[in-house]
Amino acid sequence: MKKVVVAACAMSVISIPAFSQSSVTLYGLVDTSLSYTNNVNGGAAFQETSGKTSGSRFGLRGSEDLGGGMRAIFTLENGFTGTNGLAGQGNRLFGRQAFVGLSSDSIGTFTFGRQYSPISDELCNYFAACFFSPAMHIGDNDNMNQTIRINNSVKFQSNNYAGFTFNGLYGFSNQAAGPSSQGFGNNRAWSVAGNYTRNAFSAGVGYLEFNHPNATSNTSGAVGGASPSSGDEYSSNFFYGIDGGVARQRIGAAGASYQYGKATADLGFTRVWLDYNDGAARKLNNYTATLRYQLTAPLTLLADYTFTSGSATGLPGTGGADLKPKWHQVTLSADYFLSKRTDLYVAMEYQQAAGDASTLVGGKYERIAQIKSVGSSSSTDKQLSATVGIRHRF
């Protein structure tokens, strides 16, 4: 009798993997470089930098087979600074991503947690700023470098249907409606996007909206806080340096790509609307053109041009003037893979401010350039930066 019981227990243990197979993968990336910038607040800067092309990270990614084409999935991803080991994304443990969900072979994937927006998922490949940080648009105003992740979010990503994919997300404010005039919408977000791919051609469109993203009355909402000084991700200071409290930020995006042999050409457009609580309004249009060419198996060249034009009304200290800022930015790079996981790169960025492009400095507006990946403004309307670095994936 004892032998029968033991045999039955052994069979039950052995049968578990057949019913529920699971896997967990540790992965990551370390990117460190040396940079030269000709003008940072009036002086040249030689720096060791981290995440110049890709943010350094490590993470855990897991999947459990639930049967019937259904899987439980999760991702926990930490961002850090490779030059000093400090955590990124507002000192969060898993600041890049933290979500759990269910994936179906017949429907798509539902996930819950801290996640990228659908625009990032569906349109990333059309914008060099998304996969190559030096090409970020002025101030990362359209979030194409994925500076902002969305907390408290539920997201659905469809499977591929004859080349079409669809994506939708809602980020909860986690605040009760209550007597507040903002209530349930105080620091919430929502987004939709879609993409179509056929052979060498692909195209996509998307929309993202934040409501009161830097609300001091709710720092635990979809964006996660108001104060840039606290290391948070969201700051309304990227355009003219004014922080009057953002009532609503909207981002529309469209892009297309075509691959011909070793060359890939990308075109992208984003429109950003900013409405402030103080009555000011700011709008930005970003036009981008990118060419990627695989010169040899290990060597890829990239050239990107972005023209940003905008308008601003109601700025304090301007006497109600309507301003028309413009920025031109060129990014060039060469990326050489020593192996499948390790590459060396060189990159150059040049930006010129034009028109009414200006930032508030010392109580007055000055026309200055500010390459986002450099992190600090020039004292003139031009800024140039060059970088050489190494990136390793594991």
Side-chain angles (χ1 to χ4, degrees), residues 349-362:
E349 310 137 81
Y350 173 78
Q351 185 186 108
Q352 180 171 352
D356 297 317
S358 54
T359 298
L360 190 63
V361 179

Side-chain angles (χ1 to χ4, degrees), residues 141-317:
N141 61 87
D142 50 13
N143 196 39
M144 272 302 163
N145 192 241
Q146 307 173 100
T147 303
I148 302 172
R149 285 83 170 173
I150 302 175
N151 301 324
N152 313 328
S153 64
V154 55
K155 179 163 67 173
F156 172 72
Q157 294 177 272
S158 76
N159 289 337
N160 189 311
Y161 298 104
F164 289 95
T165 55
F166 307 94
N167 197 319
L169 173 147
Y170 185 86
F172 290 84
S173 69
N174 279 1
Q175 186 173 14
S180 169
S181 61
Q182 300 171 9
F184 186 77
N186 189 23
N187 195 357
R188 70 174 176 182
W190 66 273
S191 178
V192 292
N195 191 68
Y196 174 72
T197 301
R198 182 177 177 82
N199 299 324
F201 172 79
S202 61
V205 294
Y207 178 82
L208 170 62
E209 181 172 313
F210 300 112
N211 297 102
H212 302 283
N214 63 341
T216 56
S217 57
N218 183 17
T219 59
S220 299
V223 175
S227 174
S229 63
S230 67
D232 213 307
E233 301 172 284
Y234 187 85
S235 170
S236 57
N237 292 326
F238 68 80
F239 192 26
Y240 291 105
I242 299 297
D243 187 353
V246 179
R248 183 171 61 167
Q249 179 178 351
R250 295 168 288 165
I251 302 170
S257 178
Y258 185 79
Q259 184 174 358
Y260 183 78
K262 296 182 178 181
T264 301
D266 308 300
L267 294 175
F269 170 75
T270 60
R271 167 80 164 179
V272 179
W273 299 265
L274 273 171
D275 301 311
Y276 282 81
N277 293 326
D278 61 7
R282 299 159 175 85
K283 300 178 180 67
L284 290 172
N285 300 310
N286 301 284
Y287 307 86
T288 70
T290 308
L291 179 64
R292 289 173 279 174
Y293 188 79
Q294 189 171 355
L295 187 62
T296 64
L299 178 61
T300 300
L301 306 178
L302 178 147
D304 177 80
Y305 169 72
T306 297
F307 172 64
T308 300
S309 65
S311 65
T313 59
L315 289 180

Side-chain angles (χ1 to χ4, degrees), residues 102-123:
L102 295 173
S103 179
S104 167
D105 290 341
S106 59
I107 302 174
T109 303
F110 282 96
T111 47
F112 307 82
R114 177 175 170 84
Q115 307 176 76
Y116 292 116
S117 76
I119 288 182
S120 298
D121 296 333
E122 302 292 339
L123 280 76

Side-chain angles (χ1 to χ4, degrees), residues 50-70:
S50 174
K52 185 70 172 181
T53 59
S54 303
S56 296
R57 71 201 72 167
F58 70 87
L60 296 170
R61 184 183 295 118
S63 175
E64 180 187 16
D65 187 356
L66 302 178
M70 184 77 71

Side-chain angles (χ1 to χ4, degrees), residues 126-145:
Y126 307 130
F127 296 87
C130 189
F131 56 84
F132 190 66
S133 294
M136 271 188 286
H137 307 155
I138 181 74
D140 195 26
N141 61 87
D142 50 13
N143 196 39
M144 272 302 163
N145 192 241

